[in-house]
């Protein structure tokens, strides 16, 4: 708009798209608007100064991937595609340049996520072969530009949804009804974006994140099925278990005795046409101290959002989680000590799960993610149709009786993506300039991979001096 002076006024035109339901009145996006010609076009007049002071800033007009489809700040993913569309994929922005990564490395994680792996996963037969569209040079080195990855859908059977009652009846506890309530339209076949097929993009990006973490500090992110209903894995060493241990059985539990009992329970439920849930535990080893930020960007808060965004996730715990509420402060606190070999500050226990005050402390990061039983089951359930009729529904077709084995690489991916993002934020804010203070003026190095220059500091505390007094005044 052009004006001759600051008292001039001008028109602002907006377009909007009301739902095409007769019982819902069209509502304009802006107040004080007079309609002209059609309800889809509205014009308002504002004084020039009012326009300057009331319109949003330029930053608020920044366009990003559609609402709810992106995650991360500096290391940012945007996933796209529907379960029964042409394909699904991800755009990964902020990936550091000069990272060697091959298609085969990414395919390893996708193969662990793919359907049709065993009798306790959906029999849908998809190769999930990834195509890397951008972001790599011919030598498989990242360019620092957006990395786009695509997996084409090959074995979708849309007729299983469109040619029966599932096209109009909502599956209980599924996203069918809530998607319809939000958008007024939904992708019936395969559940659209609510399908676990959406996680292909996350797992592909997670494979890149896994490589970055490995190169940076030999950081490992490994998950396993730790619980199926009340059957719990007991003998898993979080310092030592490997991906090979996890993938040694179709349940993906490194405790073989517990895995056998879990598999027996899943088979029992599967044969009844029912489904079952449980818990996936994820361990991140060799994570340096200092990742995460106070208050709203605490590391466990970011991890919780990342993991709770996975389909069917219903609970999250960091460290001892809810079990910690049964302990006293003395029992729950992770007491510090000095590692006699490295001189680094360590904790005697790890009930905090490697995070204190929202910031990593250099110990293993341990989180637990609870997954509900799959919504689609072959037993009859009461439900309603889209137009408000009560009916009975029995799920047919292909679906997981238990999401846990395939959820393992999904959890690993989201934890890895979150850690890379936190690592890049730490580098940008706190390590942009090196700490030039003398060794004695710096905090003692902390964590499993930290080392103090010259080894452990010689103690100056007199023997038998008793506890150090600490007077506090906290809210």
């Amino acid at each position: 708009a052009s004006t001759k002076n600051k008292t001039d006024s001008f028109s602002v035109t907006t377009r909007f798209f009301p739902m095409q339901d007769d019982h819902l009145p069209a509502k304009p996006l802006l107040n004080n608007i007079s309609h002209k010609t059609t309800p889809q076009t509205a014009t308002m007049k504002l004084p020039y100064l009012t326009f300057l002071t009331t319109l949003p800033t330029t930053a608020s007009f920044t366009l990003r991937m559609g609402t709810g489809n992106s995650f991360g700040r500096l290391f940012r993913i945007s996933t796209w595609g529907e379960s029964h569309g042409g394909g699904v994929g991800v755009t990964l922005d902020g990936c550091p340049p000069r990272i060697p990564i091959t298609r085969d490395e990414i395919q390893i994680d996708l193969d662990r996520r793919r359907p049709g792996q065993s009798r306790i996963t959906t029999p849908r037969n998809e190769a999930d072969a990834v195509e890397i569209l951008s972001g790599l040079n011919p030598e498989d080195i990242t360019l620092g530009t957006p990395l786009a990855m695509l997996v084409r859908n090959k074995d979708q059977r849309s007729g299983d949804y469109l040619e029966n009652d599932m096209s109009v009846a909502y599956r209980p506890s599924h996203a069918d009804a809530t998607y319809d309530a939000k958008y007024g339209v939904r992708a019936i076949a395969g559940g659209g974006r609510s399908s676990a097929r959406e996680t292909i993009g996350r797992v592909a990006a997670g494979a890149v994140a896994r490589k970055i973490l490995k190169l940076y500090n030999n950081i490992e992110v490994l998950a396993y099925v730790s619980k199926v209903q009340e059957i719990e894995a007991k003998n898993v060493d979080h310092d030592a278990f490997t991906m090979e241990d996890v993938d040694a059985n179709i349940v993906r539990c490194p405790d073989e005795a517990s895995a056998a009992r879990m598999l027996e329970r899943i088979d029992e439920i599967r044969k009844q046409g029912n489904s079952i849930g449980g818990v996936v535990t994820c361990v991140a080893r060799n994570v340096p101290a200092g990742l995460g930020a106070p208050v709203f960007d605490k590391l466990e808060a970011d991890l919780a959002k990342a993991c709770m965004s996975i389909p069917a996730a219903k609970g999250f715990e960091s460290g001892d989680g809810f079990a910690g509420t049964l302990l006293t402060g003395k029992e729950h606190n992770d007491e510090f000590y000095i590692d006699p070999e490295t001189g680094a500050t360590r904790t005697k226990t790890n009930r905090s799960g490697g995070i204190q005050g929202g910031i990593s402390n250099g110990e293993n990061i341990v989180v637990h993610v609870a997954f509900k039983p799959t919504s689609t089951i072959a037993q009859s359930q009461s439900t309603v149709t889209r137009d408000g009729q009560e009916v009975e529904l029995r799920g047919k077709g292909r679906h997981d009786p238990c999401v846990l084995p395939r959820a393992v690489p999904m959890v690993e991916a989201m934890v890895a993506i979150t850690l890379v993002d936190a690592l890049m934020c730490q580098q940008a804010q706190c390590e942009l300039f090196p700490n030039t203070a003398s060794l004695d003026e710096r905090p003692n190095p902390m964590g499993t991979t930290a080392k103090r220059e010259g080894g452990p500091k010689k103690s100056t505390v007199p023997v038998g001096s008793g506890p150090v007094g600490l007077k506090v005044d906290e809210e």
Side-chain angles (χ1 to χ4, degrees):
S2 62
T3 61
K4 295 180 180 179
N5 58 63
K6 293 183 179 180
T7 60
D8 287 347
S9 65
F10 54 91
S11 297
V12 177
T13 300
T14 182
R15 285 188 173 272
F16 56 95
F17 301 90
M19 291 179 60
Q20 301 302 310
D21 290 347
D22 293 337
H23 64 281
L24 291 176
K27 295 183 179 180
L29 296 180
L30 297 173
N31 294 326
N32 302 321
I33 296 178
S34 60
H35 291 291
K36 293 182 179 180
T37 63
T38 68
Q40 283 76 33
T41 303
T43 303
M44 67 178 179
K45 288 192 173 184
L46 290 174
Y48 182 70
L49 287 177
T50 304
F51 178 80
L52 290 179
T53 57
T54 59
L55 281 187
T57 64
T58 302
S60 68
F61 279 108
T62 300
L63 295 179
R64 290 181 173 175
M65 193 78 171
T67 303
N69 297 306
S70 300
F71 178 83
R73 289 158 293 195
L74 300 182
F75 190 81
R76 186 171 179 82
I77 65 169
S78 296
T79 69
W80 37 268
E82 288 81 37
S83 175
H84 283 215
V88 291
V90 64
T91 301
L92 169 57
D93 205 0
C95 179
R98 304 182 302 281
I99 303 296
I101 184 78
T102 66
R103 178 196 171 279
D104 290 344
E105 289 176 286
I106 297 170
Q107 193 64 50
I108 289 172
D109 281 352
L110 288 174
D111 287 346
R112 298 175 72 226
R113 194 223 69 92
R114 67 181 289 271
Q117 298 179 27
S118 69
R119 68 178 184 269
I120 61 173
T121 65
T122 174
R124 178 170 171 173
N125 185 22
E126 296 279 5
D128 286 354
V130 65
E131 301 173 32
I132 302 175
L133 307 180
S134 67
L136 286 184
N137 69 9
E139 289 73 41
D140 293 327
I141 304 295
T142 59
L143 298 170
T145 55
L147 193 63
M149 292 175 278
L150 164 68
V151 168
R152 300 181 191 275
N153 296 327
K154 301 289 187 180
D155 189 36
Q156 64 267 47
R157 297 180 186 173
S158 299
D160 289 351
Y161 294 82
L162 303 178
E163 297 169 5
N164 55 50
D165 292 339
M166 291 181 73
S167 64
V168 293
Y170 298 134
R171 286 168 286 179
S173 288
H174 200 277
D176 296 340
T178 50
Y179 266 56
D180 231 354
K182 179 176 178 64
Y183 298 109
V185 64
R186 64 186 176 95
I188 297 170
R193 293 285 288 164
S194 67
S195 167
R197 194 141 184 84
E198 176 274 331
T199 64
I200 283 176
R202 307 174 189 228
V203 173
V208 180
R210 187 193 296 275
K211 184 65 176 288
I212 294 170
L213 294 172
K214 184 75 173 178
L215 292 173
Y216 180 78
N217 200 48
N218 199 32
I219 298 170
E220 295 180 291
V221 178
L222 296 172
Y224 66 95
V225 175
S226 57
K227 200 170 185 180
V228 172
Q229 286 191 329
E230 83 285 356
I231 304 171
E232 188 171 2
K234 296 291 187 181
N235 302 308
V236 180
D237 184 350
H238 285 177
D239 291 323
F241 80 95
T242 65
M243 185 180 292
E244 289 71 26
D245 295 332
V246 173
D247 290 348
N249 56 72
I250 61 176
V251 179
R252 288 213 165 96
C253 174
D255 178 355
E256 287 292 342
S258 297
R261 295 171 56 220
M262 291 174 180
L263 180 58
E264 184 179 359
R265 178 67 59 82
I266 295 171
D267 274 335
E268 176 187 346
I269 297 296
R270 176 179 61 87
K271 292 174 183 177
Q272 298 171 5
N274 212 337
S275 62
I276 193 171
V279 178
V280 170
T281 293
C282 188
V283 181
R285 300 194 283 244
N286 301 330
V287 178
L291 304 191
V295 194
F296 299 115
D297 292 331
K298 290 179 176 173
L299 186 55
E300 66 249 88
D302 287 344
L303 288 168
K305 180 174 182 178
C307 293
M308 288 295 289
S309 70
I310 299 172
K314 281 294 182 181
F316 178 88
E317 291 183 333
S318 174
D320 276 3
F322 290 107
T325 64
L326 305 177
L327 306 177
T328 65
K330 176 66 174 176
E331 294 168 327
H332 187 268
N333 288 345
D334 295 319
E335 295 185 351
F336 291 112
Y337 74 100
I338 299 300
D339 189 304
E341 295 184 5
T342 66
T345 299
R346 298 287 308 280
T347 61
K348 295 180 180 179
T349 54
N350 192 27
R351 298 187 182 94
S352 301
I355 303 172
Q356 295 170 334
I359 300 171
S360 62
N361 66 2
E363 303 295 328
N364 289 346
I365 290 178
V366 182
V367 299
H368 312 276
V369 188
F371 289 89
K372 69 184 180 75
T374 318
S375 299
T376 304
I377 60 174
Q379 295 188 10
S380 179
Q381 301 179 87
S382 297
T383 187
V384 299
T385 61
R386 194 173 192 267
D387 61 354
Q389 303 295 313
E390 293 184 343
V391 295
E392 293 288 316
L393 178 68
R394 179 181 286 109
K396 301 176 183 179
R398 304 172 298 180
H399 53 85
D400 291 277
C402 179
V403 302
L404 295 171
R406 296 176 62 214
V408 165
M410 300 176 196
V411 172
E412 289 176 349
M414 293 310 295
V415 169
I417 290 167
T418 303
L419 291 178
V420 171
D421 193 47
L423 178 62
M424 293 175 69
C425 288
Q426 171 69 6
Q427 291 281 322
Q429 181 193 15
C430 298
E431 298 179 22
L432 184 62
F433 300 100
N435 187 346
T436 58
S438 67
L439 183 62
D440 289 337
E441 292 177 328
R442 301 180 205 171
N444 197 54
M446 175 182 263
T448 58
T449 62
K451 292 183 179 180
R452 180 182 176 86
E453 294 180 29
K457 185 177 181 179
K458 187 176 181 180
S459 177
T460 58
V461 179
V463 177
S465 60
V468 176
L470 178 65
K471 187 175 182 179
V472 299
D473 181 21
E474 298 178 335
E475 181 180 355

